Amino acid sequence: MGMTLTEKILARHAAKDRVEPGELILARVDLALGNDVTSPIAIEAVRKMGVKAVFDREKIALVPDHFAPNKDIKSAEQIRMMREFARAYGIVNYFEVGRMGIEHVLLPDEGLVVPGDLVIGADSHTCTYGALCAFSTGVGSTDLAAAMISGEVWLKVPESIRIALSGRPGKWVEGKDVILHIIGKIGVDGALYQAMEYAGDGLTSLPMAWRFTMSNMAIEAGAKNGIFPFDETTRAYADGRTKRRYEVVTADRDARYAGEIAVDMSSLEPQVAFPHLPENTRPLSQVGNVPIDQVVVGSCTNGRIEDLRSAAAVLKGRKVHDAVRMLVFPATQEIYLQAMREGLMEVFVMAGAAFSTPTCGPCLGGHMGILAKGERAIATTNRNFVGRMGHPESEVYLANPAIAAASAVLGRIGGPDEIR
Amino acid sequence: MMLKGKAWKYGDDVDTDVIIPARYLNTSDPAELAKHCMEDIDRGYASKVSPGDFIVAGKNFGCGSSREHAPIAIKASGASAVIARSFARIFYRNAFNMGLPIFEAPQAVGEIDAGDLLYVDMERGALRNETKKKEYRIAPVPPFMQELVAAGGLLNYMAARRKGK
Ligand code: SF4
């Protein structure tokens, strides 16, 4: 019996010929990630154990992004702890403010993750790198501590479900809509414990940026990871960014899947997830009249240059509605610079939107765009839980960047075709 | 490793707030946490559990927050393991990392009643219900995970391994 993509990558990293779903393995990690919320606990554990060196100074990434630039004194202390630890232990990949970005966009863009890798991160959206045909998943702080020391992590091999994609997404439909549709269909625990493996002839019409969005939100369906097969699109992205050599992994023809979900992308409309769960999706045409106070474009889900281009194309020559505040967060410094070069920044500022330095900021209700009681936002982020972006009685709707930008102009949730 | 004790039976979706209510999270002292373990669904558990006993539950045990206090409280209460139909993913990790063995045994769970005497053989992957005279296969715990549990958790295990090297 053959193996799925996830099983193959796990087997390799556990030095085994094969692994079975349900099996517990001890695997080698290619990269271990921590951020300013989760690494302080891990750092304390490493120090408490009296460990003087990490397993590999180049295979750890520490990214202050949640409350960076320092939101308050507590976050300043947390980030200082990371910085001092990185210095003391010679961690190469510590990303200081001014050179940083949101971890899940930054690491692949910097070429730190390559196809076939096994990556763990003390952050639930670590599953993003599945887009690169890598296995990556979120773990706890104790796991991160152990991985920093030993370079290993224990994992339970998940079953895989096959997501068979066909057709070509129509106008205003992006990767975000495909994954929102899937989550709406199977629910927030529809893929609990499992690996989502994207497949089918629809893959060729998905650019890298969309794939990252679709892997990013695998966790919103409860999945352990969300992985894409390697193809020319993956190769073009990876080869331009990394100096590391990598080996291409493919799923076996007779691999065993626990289930299959078929999605005809050509039949999809843009999707909007209503409060307070990502599974509460509706096609745009059935949203009705939902006035909004704030629009957020950014995050590890949709803060890439392609996302900014998509929002700017809608906004160009138009104005953000009087009653709306629009905030745009490029995910990394590189994207920030690119947005400047392409004139996107000017489009946003001329339209009356705020354009910010990279940070997670409003995505987790951290800072830079908190909602007041009763306020409503549409965001390109990934979670719309109660209180996610501020007051427990505020509301978050999730959508793609073009829909978010159109809504900013309209003052209510709507699509680009509704703007005169 | 052989585990032996009687069953404390609970239902589906036992969440981390039930295992250890948030109001007690201002401490991470295991003994203190153990006093309040399961108290919101079972006031008797913490005072009556005997060393070695098992918590037996339905699906999605440990859902909710990622607090590592939950497995700490169960372990410190004296329970030797949790047997459930399924576990929430982060609880699953945290449990092993804190040195609390857990087993997925959907069929056995359905046939265990509160108070049944259970034996678990971790190497062999066997669960015996002595009261009902029935034996079930469970996934054996691989050697490194057994060592991890024996060492008292992931960090102790790492420390021991490093000394050995
Ligand atoms: S952008 Fe949001 S979801 Fe992504 S890592 Fe930051 S806080 Fe988490």
Side-chain angles (χ1 to χ4, degrees), chain B residues 55-151:
Chain B
I55 287 179
V56 178
K59 72 168 175 67
N60 204 23
F61 185 89
C63 59
S65 88
S66 64
R67 64 185 66 146
E68 289 180 343
H69 302 73
I72 292 175
I74 293 176
K75 200 179 148 200
S77 76
S80 63
V82 183
I83 301 165
R85 280 184 200 278
S86 67
F87 293 90
R89 193 185 147 246
I90 297 187
F91 179 88
Y92 189 97
R93 296 201 68 80
N94 288 346
F96 274 107
N97 288 346
M98 300 299 127
L100 173 71
I102 58 180
F103 304 98
E104 285 183 345
Q107 199 207 336
V109 163
E111 296 170 6
I112 293 173
D113 289 311
D116 284 0
L117 179 62
L118 310 176
Y119 287 87
V120 168
D121 182 333
M122 288 173 55
E123 281 106 279
R124 217 160 47 85
L127 162 65
R128 180 162 176 79
N129 186 337
E130 194 54 44
T131 311
K132 302 265 161 63
K133 305 277 179 234
K134 282 192 95 166
E135 186 155 324
Y136 309 87
R137 286 209 51 75
I138 50 177
V141 179
F144 87 86
M145 295 285 290
Q146 289 188 44
E147 283 174 44
L148 191 155
V149 168

Side-chain angles (χ1 to χ4, degrees), chain A residues 132-398:
Chain A
L132 276 175
C133 194
F135 173 87
S136 60
T137 195
V139 296
S141 291
T142 302
D143 290 302
L144 172 62
M148 287 201 289
I149 296 167
S150 70
E152 289 173 321
V153 66
W154 68 266
L155 293 165
K156 184 173 165 187
V157 179
E159 291 184 316
S160 297
I161 48 173
R162 195 167 176 275
I163 315 281
L165 303 170
S166 62
R168 197 173 250 287
K171 205 175 168 204
W172 310 122
V173 177
E174 303 185 2
K176 180 65 161 283
D177 305 293
V178 180
I179 184 67
L180 281 176
H181 168 78
I182 293 169
I183 297 164
K185 194 160 157 170
I186 67 176
V188 291
D189 60 356
L192 189 66
Y193 272 157
Q194 294 173 314
M196 287 168 60
E197 183 173 313
Y198 295 104
D201 53 15
L203 286 172
T204 47
S205 60
L206 301 175
M208 253 347 267
W210 294 9
R211 298 183 188 191
F212 279 119
T213 306
M214 291 167 66
S215 289
N216 174 270
M217 289 191 75
I219 178 77
E220 266 66 59
K224 185 167 197 155
N225 63 317
I227 193 164
F228 277 84
F230 182 93
D231 64 10
E232 284 315 307
T233 306
T234 333
R235 187 193 304 282
Y237 176 89
D239 290 356
R241 304 207 165 248
T242 192
K243 290 188 278 298
R244 281 181 52 203
R245 289 167 53 85
Y246 60 85
E247 241 175 287
V248 174
V249 178
T250 51
D252 291 324
R253 284 193 171 278
D254 58 346
R256 205 170 7 159
Y257 294 89
E260 174 161 315
I261 296 162
V263 179
D264 174 6
M265 299 189 290
S266 67
S267 71
L268 296 181
E269 268 188 63
Q271 306 283 312
V272 177
F274 276 51
H276 291 286
L277 281 179
E279 70 182 23
N280 295 335
T281 53
R282 291 189 203 173
L284 185 63
S285 61
Q286 279 158 47
V287 163
N289 183 29
V290 183
I292 46 162
D293 304 287
Q294 180 166 298
V295 176
V296 175
V297 173
S299 84
C300 59
T301 314
N302 286 113
R304 295 181 181 79
I305 191 68
E306 292 84 349
D307 301 313
L308 301 192
R309 283 181 195 138
S310 164
V314 173
L315 266 191
K316 192 165 179 151
R318 300 196 165 103
K319 290 277 181 216
V320 171
H321 191 278
D322 280 347
V324 173
R325 317 176 296 266
M326 180 171 182
L327 313 168
V328 183
F329 293 82
T332 66
Q333 289 288 80
E334 187 192 318
I335 296 168
Y336 188 101
L337 201 57
Q338 186 63 23
M340 198 164 85
R341 290 191 180 123
E342 292 183 18
L344 308 181
M345 200 167 159
E346 191 173 342
V347 171
F348 291 120
V349 175
M350 293 299 289
F355 193 84
S356 160
T357 195
T359 177
C360 291
C363 173
L364 77 160
H367 59 147
M368 312 269 298
I370 307 295
L371 298 176
K373 183 174 175 178
E375 284 191 328
R376 205 178 274 144
I378 184 164
T380 66
T381 55
N382 48 39
R383 286 186 174 148
N384 55 352
F385 300 158
V386 172
R388 174 73 177 180
M389 209 169 263
H391 195 280
E393 284 169 46
S394 61
E395 291 183 346
V396 179
Y397 294 70
L398 306 175

